[in-house]
Amino acid sequence: MPTSLPLLPDSLRPTLDHHLAQWRAALDAAGLTARCGELGADFVAQLPQVLAGSDYVAEQLRRDPQLAWHLVDEQRLLRPLREGEMRELLQRELHGLQNEDELAQRLRRFRQAQQVRIIWRDLTRQATLAETTRDLSDMADACIDEAYQWLYLQTCAVLGEPRGATGAPQHMVVLGMGKLGAFELNLSSDIDLIFAYPEPGETVGGRRSLSNQEFFIRVGQKLIKALDAHTVDGFVFRVDMRLRPYGDSGALVFSFDALEQYYQSQGRDWERYAMIKARVVAGDQVAGAELQAMLKPFVYRRYLDFAAIDALRSLKQMIQREVQRKGLQDNVKLGSGGIREVEFIGQAFQLIHGGRDRALQQRPILGVLQTLAANDYFPAAAVEELTTAYCFLRDTEHALQAVDDRQTQMLPTDAQGQARIAFMLGFADWKAFRQRLDQERAIVARHFAGVIADPDEDEAEPAAPHADWLPLWEGTLDEAQALDQLRAAGFADADMAWRRLNALHDSGRVKAMQRVGRERLDGFMPRLLAMACEQDNADLALERVLPLIEAVARRSAYLVLLTENPGALRELLVLCAASPWIAEQITRYPVVLDELLNAGRLYRPPEPDELADELRQQLLRIPEDDLEQQMETLRYFKRAHILRVAASEIAGTLPLMKVSDYLTWIAEAILQQVLKLAWREMVSRHGQPARADGSRCELDFIVVGYGKVGGIELGHGSDLDLVFVHDGDPQSETDGARPIEGSKFFTRLGQRIIHMLNTQTVSGALYEVDMRLRPSGDSGLLVSSLASFARYQREEAWTWEHQALVRARPLLGCPRLTEGFAALRAEVLGIQRDEKALAREVIVMRQKMRDNLGTSATAAGTTEQAFTAERLFDLKQDAGGIVDIEFMVQYAVLAWSCRYPELLRYTDNIRILDELQNAGLIAGEDVHRLQEAYKAYRAAAHRLALQKQPGKVSGDQFHDFRHGVIKLWQQMLPTPEPDPAA
């Protein structure tokens, strides 16, 4: 990189003149103009360079005219800080603190001053990359530790001092992860932290004793607020706690033993990857060293860890897919050949070899790269290239962030912004800068591609016989020749296939393609035709895939993906030929195409814990304040995993019950994150609501699933029947800057959740939500307190609402409230009822449904014609169908759970039927008949959904099941005699 700045471009002159005028006006207003000579010649000479590059520095100098004199004090703009000087400056700033508000204010003003100093030295080429990142990391260390030490003493004064088993005082250990841990912070980094304490115990000397965990949670919350909260003075650092065990759902602070147990028993490969850079940044350094020694075996295996290779290869593939999918070419961190890929190269060798080679057990990436060369893991010339590229990319990142102190790694797209970045980095113009940047990124991408490469990647795919199809696609064959070729290849309706291909060829989207895109399409189509011929039904495969090809015509990267991955193209044809629903889903959301790259993964949906962990990992890579990207990640997660479930169902590797399990688990994982996002947004806006006892709510809210999601029986395209319950005080106000009543808080929280789930974007909606099963239906409150929900269920609910309660299940939220809801459900369902009156109500409700929703031509499946091929049988609504079975189960629970509470254990029909058999209430043979009929009907409904067909079959199907269900219905719920009271 050039070591001196070029002449200021004419396009930046107005910006510089504006900033200079603003600063001078501020000096005049403060009466400081006469003292400008005290600032020195160096300051005056460097000021235009800095102001032309950084709006942030200009704004800080304008807002605080005294800042210029503060910065030149002791020549701090012209020299590096000595070791320990950063902390000394902060201690001087914090001397005489009175309260937490003052702590927050002084920390922010200190950060502003240091940020200006660091940007100044970086832009004027006085500071190396190492100095800039070290200063930023030292500033973070000092702010975290000094704030912690002050808050610890203040909290001890109120709550007492935490003690361990031996009676010794306890301090918290704060681990800095990622760039902070490696002393590599950039100008606008978040700080990733994990809080820990040595051992369980209690506080001594307070009004009442607290557990050490409770004490340190209080301190941790105060520390996060001191650093992260946005005030009129800005913020110190954005704090991200999501790398701790269990992420947002885990405790804020863990004991050392709890951390060790978690990482040894549950730690994921990505957590090993993250823990490489962990460092004690605040709190008890001695205890912190003990903690890191405890965790070291988790990070560094004692042997050559080739087991990590597959995990690293998967992580590498994830990075590559993310770059392809998200259009990150202008992102110097996440794009191809970016900072992340350099870091991956170093950390891959650390994970594999670090247990045996202690030299690799270090944090900064540049040191790791040098060790790779010195110990012959990587060629010295390659390491030199990567080092040069990494430094250039980090300097570019700092220039991008110095402009406005904004967390960005995206290159500017406007001419003014491009000229500014080129000037800041010492280039004559944007073209010269971009040429150098592209050169460095190409080097990184080349080395990244070679690291832990899959040995199969170099094996040539068997040559596909696609060359014969090029003349047909290009139109060099006449129609007769083309039809002959299509017939010979196995197309049953060659004329229709020919028309479809011509329609695509002549479509507006294809004609509007740019040259590169058209070349990609011309290279792809012969491969598609050759592989379509291999399918059992070539016509159907082609018919269903061509709409996708037309849909992605202007995003030809997808065509490259399918061209370069014949296996993915084969899976696409197989799945689309098997299911028009899958074909439609992929056409609407082609982003899921990369799921086809790994057939093993495609046909093996993950377990619930893996699902939740995968989603958590994906969200960890997104800034907490980027709600739009978080929602897009949730939508992609749903599309991708539902595709995997459907593919497994079609392949026969996933039975019906597991299909519903997986679809339900996907919904629960998404709901968990939506609730967290909505809660965090509401609390940041209004503060926390209060409980009835005056204490603050910690997510005192549950999402209750009814119907299919409650019964763990979701199907493809199912909506979610939900009810929201809270346990806050409706009248008490929240404690934030914009307080509102608790009732409004929880109502808005519910509205926010529904909005996040329902909102349609180009990526579709997450789920359709049905809230009509809440108390009083559409006319009732959107969110009920547990007390009001209980009152309604006891005093006002109809029998059909108690039937619905049989399948109600808390999906997520507050554990204490979940237990309260379960107890209430058991109480309400376990009420002793008049069985005859109950049966009458259930029968009347079922008849209404048959009249309104059943097959009218067969009186809802009750006539003799209902069993003929000329009529249709509605799997759900007709007599002997799904709803009959559900109503019998619900009647049984309402009638008999007062004497057999084990009937309340489950919410799904299959297991409730098991309990009915175990209790001797329904004969085993009858239970088996109902279960098999229920599973057969649902399996048929699933198959029809994948074929985009309504849930109806020919009337000559399922005779035995239907007759059996009708017979049991008549035994359990015979037509009642007239009600004498009527």
Side-chain angles (χ1 to χ4, degrees):
M1 183 185 299
T3 55
S4 59
L5 291 168
L7 292 175
L8 184 72
D10 291 340
S11 61
L12 296 183
R13 177 62 60 183
T15 298
L16 173 59
D17 292 342
H18 170 75
H19 287 330
L20 283 172
Q22 291 278 306
W23 182 58
R24 287 169 182 150
L27 293 180
D28 286 342
L32 293 172
T33 304
R35 294 179 51 198
C36 282
E38 300 171 11
L39 296 174
D42 290 317
F43 179 93
V44 173
Q46 294 169 5
L47 181 64
Q49 298 176 0
V50 178
L51 295 186
S54 176
D55 295 340
Y56 174 78
V57 172
E59 176 63 13
Q60 296 306 313
L61 291 176
R62 183 195 65 77
R63 289 178 59 187
D64 181 7
Q66 289 278 4
L67 181 58
W69 280 264
H70 178 72
L71 289 168
V72 299
D73 183 34
E74 300 182 17
Q75 300 290 297
R76 280 194 288 269
L77 282 181
L78 302 177
R79 64 171 178 83
L81 296 185
R82 66 180 186 279
E83 186 175 352
E85 188 173 0
M86 181 74 75
R87 187 176 291 264
E88 292 171 11
L89 292 170
L90 179 56
Q91 288 172 340
R92 192 186 308 168
E93 182 74 24
L94 298 181
H95 182 70
L97 273 179
Q98 297 298 314
N99 54 53
E100 291 181 38
D101 288 342
E102 199 173 338
L103 170 67
Q105 182 183 63
R106 294 194 195 183
L107 284 172
R108 281 153 182 74
R109 291 183 179 176
F110 177 79
R111 187 257 187 192
Q112 290 163 359
Q114 291 305 315
Q115 195 81 346
V116 169
R117 183 189 66 81
I118 293 167
I119 291 173
W120 188 294
R121 288 183 53 75
D122 189 71
L123 294 189
T124 56
R125 298 289 177 273
Q126 297 179 83
T128 62
L129 172 64
E131 180 192 322
T132 297
T133 56
R134 184 71 190 221
D135 273 1
L136 290 162
S137 303
D138 283 348
M139 176 171 65
D141 285 7
C143 289
I144 298 167
D145 194 38
E146 291 299 320
Y148 163 74
Q149 299 295 347
W150 188 87
L151 290 167
Y152 174 84
L153 293 175
Q154 297 299 309
T155 310
C156 284
V158 177
L159 301 179
E161 184 179 54
R163 302 284 181 88
T166 63
Q170 298 252 313
H171 262 282
M172 193 160 75
V173 171
V174 181
L175 291 181
M177 311 293 285
K179 285 185 164 58
L180 173 59
F183 292 104
E184 293 171 343
L185 278 190
N186 61 45
L187 283 170
S188 295
S189 285
D190 291 351
I191 51 174
D192 295 293
L193 304 179
I194 293 176
F195 297 157
Y197 64 98
E199 62 184 12
E202 292 186 341
T203 58
V204 175
R207 290 192 298 271
R208 63 184 181 90
S209 64
L210 290 177
S211 70
N212 285 354
Q213 186 177 42
E214 288 178 286
F215 176 89
F216 286 118
I217 285 175
R218 303 270 184 97
V219 175
Q221 289 170 334
K222 290 175 180 289
L223 179 58
I224 293 169
K225 182 179 179 182
L227 298 170
D228 184 272
H230 284 255
T231 72
V232 292
D233 298 302
F235 63 95
V236 189
F237 287 98
R238 290 174 292 268
V239 178
D240 193 333
M241 299 295 298
R242 292 177 292 172
L243 288 180
R244 70 186 189 270
Y246 309 108
D248 284 338
S249 60
L252 187 64
V253 187
F254 289 83
S255 69
F256 287 6
D257 284 346
L259 278 178
E260 182 182 33
Q261 183 177 359
Y262 170 83
Y263 285 118
Q264 294 300 343
S265 64
Q266 299 183 51
R268 315 288 189 186
D269 290 301
W270 68 266
E271 288 175 304
R272 285 185 63 202
Y273 187 86
M275 194 59 73
I276 285 176
K277 294 189 176 186
R279 175 174 64 86
V280 180
V281 298
D284 189 335
Q285 290 285 339
V286 175
E290 295 174 7
L291 173 62
Q292 294 212 270
M294 292 168 69
L295 299 181
K296 190 173 181 179
F298 166 67
V299 183
Y300 295 111
R301 307 297 197 235
R302 295 177 184 174
Y303 45 83
L304 294 180
D305 190 10
F306 290 106
I309 291 178
D310 282 341
L312 287 165
R313 192 171 285 141
S314 296
L315 180 59
K316 177 182 175 183
Q317 290 169 350
M318 180 196 72
I319 291 171
Q320 291 169 326
R321 289 199 303 269
E322 190 175 74
V323 168
Q324 287 178 352
R325 188 169 70 241
K326 294 187 177 179
L328 297 171
Q329 61 270 22
D330 287 333
N331 190 306
V332 298
K333 176 183 177 182
L334 303 178
S336 176
I339 295 166
R340 176 170 63 174
E341 293 184 4
V342 181
E343 294 171 338
F344 178 87
I345 292 169
Q347 288 177 269
F349 282 97
Q350 285 182 282
L351 282 182
I352 296 169
H353 300 281
R356 291 282 296 273
D357 189 344
R358 286 175 167 267
L360 286 170
Q361 295 180 12
Q362 55 179 303
R363 300 181 186 93
I365 184 61
L366 292 177
V368 172
L369 291 175
Q370 294 307 311
T371 302
L372 294 182
N375 294 5
D376 296 325
Y377 291 109
F378 218 59
V383 166
E384 185 175 348
E385 286 182 332
L386 286 171
T387 300
T388 301
Y390 177 79
C391 292
F392 183 81
L393 290 167
R394 287 301 305 269
D395 283 335
T396 301
E397 178 185 49
H398 285 161
L400 294 169
Q401 295 173 346
V403 173
D404 200 25
D405 189 28
R406 196 162 58 87
Q407 189 182 26
T408 183
Q409 285 92 14
M410 294 296 292
L411 296 171
T413 55
D414 62 295
Q416 174 84 351
Q418 291 175 345
R420 191 177 222 177
I421 295 302
F423 167 73
M424 293 164 74
L425 291 168
F427 290 88
D429 54 35
W430 178 255
K431 182 180 179 181
F433 161 74
R434 191 61 199 250
Q435 183 177 359
R436 171 71 186 281
L437 176 66
D438 292 344
Q439 173 187 329
E440 299 294 354
R441 289 177 65 171
I443 290 169
V444 173
R446 173 165 50 86
H447 290 305
F448 176 71
V451 172
I452 57 168
D454 191 325
D456 296 332
E457 287 176 359
D458 295 331
E459 295 181 8
E461 279 278 337
H466 59 263
D468 293 342
W469 291 98
L470 186 60
L472 183 146
W473 170 249
E474 289 185 337
T476 57
L477 300 182
D478 61 33
E479 183 174 353
Q481 292 172 314
L483 291 174
D484 286 344
Q485 183 174 354
L486 288 165
R487 289 190 192 99
F491 285 91
D493 190 345
D495 292 282
M496 179 58 72
W498 176 240
R499 286 199 296 274
R500 288 192 175 109
L501 288 168
N502 281 329
L504 174 66
H505 195 281
D506 298 335
S507 69
R509 289 187 180 183
V510 169
K511 287 183 175 180
M513 293 177 78
Q514 301 292 322
R515 179 183 59 81
V516 172
R518 185 55 194 260
E519 289 173 357
R520 290 173 174 175
L521 179 66
D522 292 342
F524 168 75
M525 285 303 298
R527 290 172 168 83
L528 171 65
L529 289 166
M531 207 167 283
C533 298
E534 300 173 7
Q535 306 305 308
D536 293 338
N537 190 331
D539 301 78
L540 195 60
L542 187 68
E543 174 190 348
R544 291 178 178 172
V545 169
L546 287 183
L548 166 66
I549 305 310
E550 184 175 0
V552 302
R554 294 184 184 177
R555 291 172 284 176
S556 58
Y558 291 121
L559 300 178
V560 175
L561 182 153
L562 293 170
T563 299
E564 295 184 355
N565 295 277
L569 177 56
R570 187 173 292 111
E571 297 297 344
L572 175 68
L573 287 161
V574 168
L575 292 174
C576 289
S579 168
W581 183 85
I582 290 180
E584 181 186 75
Q585 291 294 305
I586 298 176
T587 299
R588 290 177 64 188
Y589 314 112
V591 68
V592 299
L593 278 170
D594 64 4
E595 294 297 318
L596 306 179
L597 293 174
N598 186 332
R601 170 183 159 93
L602 177 66
Y603 294 107
R604 192 197 69 81
E607 294 299 313
D609 290 345
E610 295 177 286
L611 264 175
D613 191 62
E614 180 183 330
L615 182 54
R616 177 183 159 209
Q617 285 187 56
Q618 292 179 14
L619 291 172
L620 274 174
R621 297 191 292 274
I622 303 170
E624 284 194 351
D625 57 356
D626 191 348
L627 181 62
E628 181 180 355
Q629 189 57 48
Q630 288 166 336
M631 294 307 300
E632 282 304 300
T633 298
L634 289 172
R635 292 185 186 101
Y636 175 78
F637 176 85
K638 181 196 173 187
R639 305 290 171 212
H641 282 285
I642 283 182
L643 173 64
R644 290 169 65 179
V645 171
S648 301
E649 187 174 3
I650 285 171
T653 58
L654 205 60
L656 165 71
M657 300 298 286
K658 281 292 184 183
V659 169
S660 291
D661 286 350
Y662 277 115
L663 293 174
T664 304
W665 294 338
I666 291 166
E668 289 178 5
I670 290 170
L671 283 168
Q672 182 77 49
Q673 296 302 327
V674 167
L675 175 57
K676 286 178 184 175
L677 291 172
W679 177 264
R680 188 164 61 217
E681 183 179 330
M682 288 295 298
V683 169
S684 66
R685 188 176 298 169
H686 301 293
Q688 290 178 288
R691 302 187 181 109
D693 63 4
S695 61
R696 289 294 154 187
C697 292
E698 294 288 343
L699 194 57
D700 290 16
F701 186 93
I702 56 172
V703 177
V704 181
Y706 276 67
K708 289 182 180 178
V709 68
I712 319 175
E713 296 169 355
L714 278 187
H716 297 290
S718 293
D719 59 7
L720 302 182
D721 293 299
L722 302 179
V723 168
F724 300 147
V725 179
H726 74 86
D727 199 25
D729 182 351
Q731 275 74 47
S732 295
E733 288 195 334
T734 58
D735 64 352
R738 289 185 285 172
I740 56 175
E741 287 182 348
S743 58
K744 287 185 179 179
F745 177 94
F746 286 110
T747 297
R748 291 182 187 177
L749 175 65
Q751 290 169 337
R752 195 74 187 115
I753 292 170
I754 294 170
H755 176 75
M756 288 179 173
L757 294 170
N758 278 351
T759 299
Q760 285 283 350
T761 70
V762 291
S763 302
L766 280 170
Y767 290 97
E768 290 297 321
V769 177
D770 191 335
M771 299 291 296
R772 289 176 294 177
L773 289 175
R774 68 186 188 269
S776 302
D778 284 340
S779 62
L781 295 173
L782 186 66
V783 185
S784 302
S785 69
L786 183 60
S788 66
F789 184 86
R791 186 166 53 253
Y792 179 85
Q793 292 293 337
R794 291 170 182 146
E795 301 172 8
E796 301 178 44
W798 297 82
T799 297
W800 67 264
E801 291 177 289
H802 287 170
Q803 285 181 247
L805 193 62
V806 171
R807 305 180 78 185
R809 178 174 63 93
L811 305 179
L812 49 112
C814 172
R816 178 180 53 80
L817 197 50
T818 294
E819 291 178 7
F821 181 90
L824 172 65
R825 173 178 175 271
E827 173 202 326
V828 171
L829 296 180
I831 294 170
Q832 188 164 355
R833 293 173 170 86
D834 180 328
E835 291 185 19
K836 287 187 177 180
L838 173 64
R840 191 160 41 246
E841 291 185 59
V842 171
I843 292 169
V844 168
M845 175 55 67
R846 180 68 188 104
Q847 190 58 49
K848 286 181 180 177
M849 293 179 68
R850 287 180 180 176
D851 293 343
N852 291 303
L853 302 172
T855 303
S856 58
T858 62
T862 60
T863 67
E864 289 185 8
Q865 286 185 321
F867 294 86
T868 65
E870 289 74 30
R871 298 299 182 188
L872 292 175
F873 168 58
D874 189 312
L875 291 163
K876 182 175 181 181
Q877 297 295 345
D878 280 352
I882 289 173
V883 176
D884 277 4
I885 299 173
E886 291 175 344
F887 268 49
M888 282 190 279
V889 169
Q890 291 160 13
Y891 167 78
V893 172
L894 293 177
W896 302 326
S897 62
C898 58
R899 300 191 304 278
Y900 300 92
E902 60 268 29
L903 300 181
L904 303 174
R905 185 176 301 152
Y906 301 112
T907 58
D908 61 286
N909 291 297
I910 297 296
R911 288 187 293 181
I912 294 176
L913 284 166
D914 285 336
E915 294 297 332
L916 287 165
Q917 178 183 341
N918 295 339
L921 296 168
I922 300 181
E925 182 181 343
D926 291 338
V927 164
H928 179 72
R929 183 180 296 115
L930 289 174
Q931 289 177 329
E932 290 306 306
Y934 193 68
K935 288 190 282 189
Y937 294 156
R938 289 184 54 224
H942 274 249
R943 289 192 295 271
L944 289 166
L946 289 175
Q947 298 303 318
K948 292 186 63 184
Q949 298 293 324
K952 298 180 180 182
V953 297
S954 171
D956 60 353
Q957 295 187 39
F958 298 120
H959 279 198
D960 288 345
F961 284 143
R962 292 159 64 189
H963 285 304
V965 172
I966 290 171
K967 179 180 177 182
L968 288 169
W969 174 275
Q970 290 169 346
Q971 291 173 4
M972 185 180 290
L973 294 163
T975 303
E977 296 180 10
D979 185 353

